[in-house]
Amino acid sequence: EIVHSKKLRKQKMINLWSAGCSRGEEPYSLAVMLLESLKGRNEFVPRVLATDIDAQALEAAKEGVFKEDSLKNVPSFILRKYFTKAGFGRWAVNNSVKRIVLFKKHNLFDKPPFKYMDAVFCRNVRIYFDTMRAQQVLMYIHSSLRESGYLVLGRVETMPVSLKKHFVVVESCYKIFQKK
């Protein structure tokens, strides 16, 4: 849907934000997904912005090296295409993936560092906040989304009733919402 919308609007940049990215599994997964869905379409410029408050986790994420166990659900053709064996049962993300991911330290209680996001993935982060702080974070995310941008929450997370006027449910099972 995002790619289709970009094509209609003649826009090149596709911006995804992994908020609370931890050690990098999500932003690299998003980058691989973008590269796979855009193969042969050089008119688009994919970018994944990855933020976390934990500087140590961000440093590990930037390295892009993962234990084989954490990649067990990755199809073998994806593993061969986007990762390189790093020894001792570890795999390193290839530069083709790394170059589209930007890591930045950010506290979600601060105003968002990015605007015009096509989708924000804030999965399994909101559960750590009380209701008022969660609403604040989600409103910041709302302001960072472009018109009709998407928000993805974790499966156990819910959209606060007070914010339902700002988002429409796209897929309730997968907690995907769209900015009104």
Side-chain angles (χ1 to χ4, degrees):
E1 187 60 36
I2 291 170
V3 172
H4 178 71
S5 172
K6 292 290 183 175
K7 193 169 188 162
L8 288 176
R9 294 178 180 172
K10 297 184 182 351
Q11 295 174 339
K12 292 184 173 210
M13 293 297 298
I14 298 176
N15 295 309
L16 306 182
W17 177 14
S18 174
C21 70
S22 187
R23 300 181 74 77
E25 288 91 342
E26 182 175 81
Y28 288 128
S29 296
L30 293 171
V32 166
M33 179 201 66
L34 277 171
L35 291 170
E36 278 297 295
S37 65
L38 295 175
K39 58 185 167 195
R41 298 174 129 184
N42 296 330
E43 72 267 27
F44 296 107
V45 179
R47 186 169 62 166
V48 177
L49 305 162
T51 62
D52 203 283
I53 195 168
D54 184 338
Q56 192 173 6
L58 286 171
E59 285 306 312
K62 286 177 190 176
E63 285 182 34
V65 178
F66 300 97
K67 291 180 182 176
E68 211 161 35
D69 285 355
S70 65
L71 300 170
K72 66 182 175 227
N73 294 323
V74 175
S76 59
F77 80 95
I78 295 287
L79 202 57
R80 287 190 307 274
K81 188 172 181 179
Y82 296 108
F83 293 82
T84 305
K85 279 194 174 201
F88 304 106
R90 299 176 329 145
W91 290 78
V93 177
N94 290 344
N95 287 335
S96 63
V97 177
K98 280 185 167 184
R99 76 169 179 258
I100 66 171
V101 180
L102 170 69
F103 290 96
K104 182 177 172 98
K105 185 175 179 180
H106 177 252
N107 184 336
L108 288 173
F109 297 124
D110 296 337
K111 293 200 183 214
F114 312 114
K115 289 282 188 191
Y116 310 111
M117 293 290 105
D118 295 299
V120 177
F121 295 78
C122 189
R123 299 174 59 246
N124 305 319
V125 175
R126 198 186 85 67
I127 58 173
Y128 296 105
F129 309 142
D130 63 37
T131 304
M132 188 182 308
R133 297 290 263 177
Q135 289 176 2
Q136 177 187 359
V137 167
L138 291 175
M139 282 311 296
Y140 282 159
I141 288 172
H142 182 271
S143 72
S144 73
L145 285 167
R146 73 172 54 254
E147 181 183 327
S148 300
Y150 296 92
L151 167 64
V152 182
L153 298 176
R155 285 194 177 199
V156 299
E157 297 171 319
T158 58
M159 178 65 67
V161 174
S162 63
L163 296 182
K164 289 189 178 184
K165 63 185 174 202
H166 298 287
F167 293 96
V168 63
V169 176
V170 173
E171 179 61 60
S172 61
C173 178
Y174 296 107
K175 306 297 179 157
I176 302 173
F177 302 89
Q178 191 170 28
K179 180 179 179 176
K180 283 187 180 180

